[in-house]
Amino acid sequence: MIKYIARRLLQSIPIFFGITIFSYLLISLAPGSPVEILAFNNRLKPREREELKYILGTNDPLPVQYLRWLIGDDWMRWDSDGDGLADSAVFFIDLYAPQLNDSGKPAIDEDTGDVLLRPLPAGNQRGILRGDFGNSVYYKRAALDVLVERLPATLELGTTSLLVGLIMGVAIGIIAAINRGGWFDQSSRVGAVIVNSVPNFGLGLLLILVFGVTLGIFPLAGRCKTTIDDSCPPLPSRLEYLVLPTIVLAAGGVAGYSRYMRASMLDVVSQDYIRTARSKGLNERSIWLRHGTRNAFIPIATFIGPSITFLLSGAAVVESVFSWPGVGRLIVQAPGRRDFTVVMLVVVYAAIANILGYLISDILYVMIDPRIRFD
């Protein structure tokens, strides 16, 4: 098993870099840039705009920008005398960038008539492979800190929704399979179709209208009451804020798991070993719950991994509807703010979560079915 996990992790390395290259290319093709956000002031002179591009490195070739984002630029250029200006560079990135006058044109030395060149800024980026994802243009601080601050809220909502969806979905699927053709089976099938047909934002707004506005039972939005330091108390003291978003996020899981569990249970109970168990005189409860359920869990393991990926990456729609301060809401807001540093950080985070999610599914196969081996 350890060798299999190590092999899968090694195979995921080129996948990870492929995702980052493709995503970085898409970001570069998107309209707008961080410079336009920072230089939104109309009084900014053309020279100051060009200087801002030079400082941010957005006027460098795209492969150079990607390389800087990946492994940093402190190894490309260095400051030997400590004056804050790089006097050497491995590559000629902006090495011959001219100084500009107020009109944005190259400045000329009055004595020699040569174009004045700008010194290189000292390298200060370490790259994502060394834990430096850069600073957020919108939040004006490290992008990684922004993600880490929102991650607990997403883990809280995602873990709760996954457990509720899995437990309720499996239980409904088993009961529906045992009572095949009965009223519970038919009702669960109709309910699953209805739940899958209603979009998350529609269900969320409906619950807010009924239980938040009309009945006033649950809060309308947020994770907790606003405090001076924007911190939230322990979870048991604010469960009312978690109820509605959990219902919306877990509804799809309940519908999906129940249908797959029902179909898997009906397939398992038709196997030869189940007929053998009946011929030995075992009662139906033992046959269904002890012998049938474990084997019926194998197809469910296929969907647990992607579900974990989806929940850890943040349910963007649900978090936006309920103003939940998680990663999903950050995903929605960052592209509109042209905060490309945060966008690429979320891409890396989602890629890692997706790789680990499918690896968890494969591990669950072995835990559920002893016949499966990766040796």
Side-chain angles (χ1 to χ4, degrees), residues 259-273:
R259 291 298 87 201
Y260 283 110
M261 193 65 188
R262 175 187 179 275
S264 183
M265 284 289 292
L266 293 177
D267 179 67
V268 166
V269 296
S270 63
Q271 302 296 322
D272 293 338
Y273 69 90

Side-chain angles (χ1 to χ4, degrees), residues 204-221 240 244 322:
L205 293 176
L206 179 62
L207 294 179
I208 290 175
L209 178 62
V210 175
F211 296 99
V213 178
T214 304
L215 300 179
I217 300 177
F218 299 109
L220 299 180
E240 65 274 13
L244 294 184
F322 290 95

Side-chain angles (χ1 to χ4, degrees), residues 276-287:
T276 301
R278 285 197 176 99
S279 65
K280 290 181 178 180
L282 295 179
N283 59 65
E284 288 296 315
R285 175 178 295 183
S286 177
I287 292 173

Side-chain angles (χ1 to χ4, degrees), residues 50-62:
E50 294 299 323
E51 292 287 349
L52 190 57
K53 292 181 181 180
Y54 176 73
I55 294 173
L56 295 178
T58 57
N59 54 349
D60 289 330
L62 185 60

Side-chain angles (χ1 to χ4, degrees), residues 142-292:
L144 187 59
D145 293 341
V146 177
L147 179 69
V148 171
E149 288 179 359
R150 292 172 175 261
L151 192 57
T154 293
L155 293 177
E156 179 182 295
L157 177 60
T159 303
T160 305
S161 303
L162 179 62
L163 292 177
V164 171
L166 184 61
I167 294 173
M168 293 188 60
V170 169
I172 293 174
I174 294 174
I175 297 174
I178 295 175
N179 300 277
R180 180 181 183 182
W183 66 269
F184 186 86
D185 183 23
Q186 300 296 337
S187 300
S188 64
R189 294 174 62 184
V190 174
V193 173
I194 294 176
V195 170
N196 285 329
S197 302
V198 178
N200 283 343
F201 70 88
L203 181 59
L205 293 176
L206 179 62
L207 294 179
I208 290 175
L209 178 62
V210 175
F211 296 99
V213 178
T214 304
L215 300 179
I217 300 177
F218 299 109
L220 299 180
R223 188 186 179 198
C224 60
K225 290 184 179 179
T226 304
T227 58
I228 298 177
D229 56 355
D230 293 331
S231 62
C232 287
L235 182 59
S237 61
R238 52 182 176 83
L239 287 176
E240 65 274 13
Y241 288 89
L242 191 60
V243 174
L244 294 184
T246 298
I247 292 176
V248 176
L249 196 56
V254 173
Y257 288 133
S258 64
R259 291 298 87 201
Y260 283 110
M261 193 65 188
R262 175 187 179 275
S264 183
M265 284 289 292
L266 293 177
D267 179 67
V268 166
V269 296
S270 63
Q271 302 296 322
D272 293 338
Y273 69 90
I274 296 294
R275 288 193 290 268
T276 301
R278 285 197 176 99
S279 65
K280 290 181 178 180
L282 295 179
N283 59 65
E284 288 296 315
R285 175 178 295 183
S286 177
I287 292 173
W288 282 91
L289 300 181
R290 183 177 178 181
H291 297 278

Side-chain angles (χ1 to χ4, degrees), residues 53-166:
K53 292 181 181 180
Y54 176 73
I55 294 173
L56 295 178
T58 57
N59 54 349
D60 289 330
L62 185 60
V64 174
Q65 294 184 44
Y66 173 78
L67 194 63
R68 182 192 297 118
W69 173 77
L70 190 66
I71 57 178
D73 64 353
D74 54 350
W75 64 276
M76 296 179 181
R77 54 186 84 177
W78 62 91
D79 179 17
S80 60
D81 52 9
D83 62 353
L85 299 175
D87 51 11
S88 301
V90 177
F91 298 123
F92 51 88
I93 308 169
D94 285 340
L95 188 59
Y96 299 103
Q99 297 183 24
L100 304 175
N101 53 31
D102 292 340
S103 61
K105 297 180 179 180
I108 305 297
D109 190 328
E110 296 180 355
D111 297 330
T112 63
D114 297 330
V115 176
L116 297 176
L117 302 179
R118 290 178 291 185
L120 287 168
N124 57 2
Q125 296 183 18
R126 301 176 61 233
I128 67 167
L129 295 184
R130 291 186 285 170
D132 183 8
F133 288 85
N135 292 325
S136 168
V137 175
Y138 181 83
Y139 294 98
K140 305 296 189 299
R141 54 197 179 97
L144 187 59
D145 293 341
V146 177
L147 179 69
V148 171
E149 288 179 359
R150 292 172 175 261
L151 192 57
T154 293
L155 293 177
E156 179 182 295
L157 177 60
T159 303
T160 305
S161 303
L162 179 62
L163 292 177
V164 171
L166 184 61

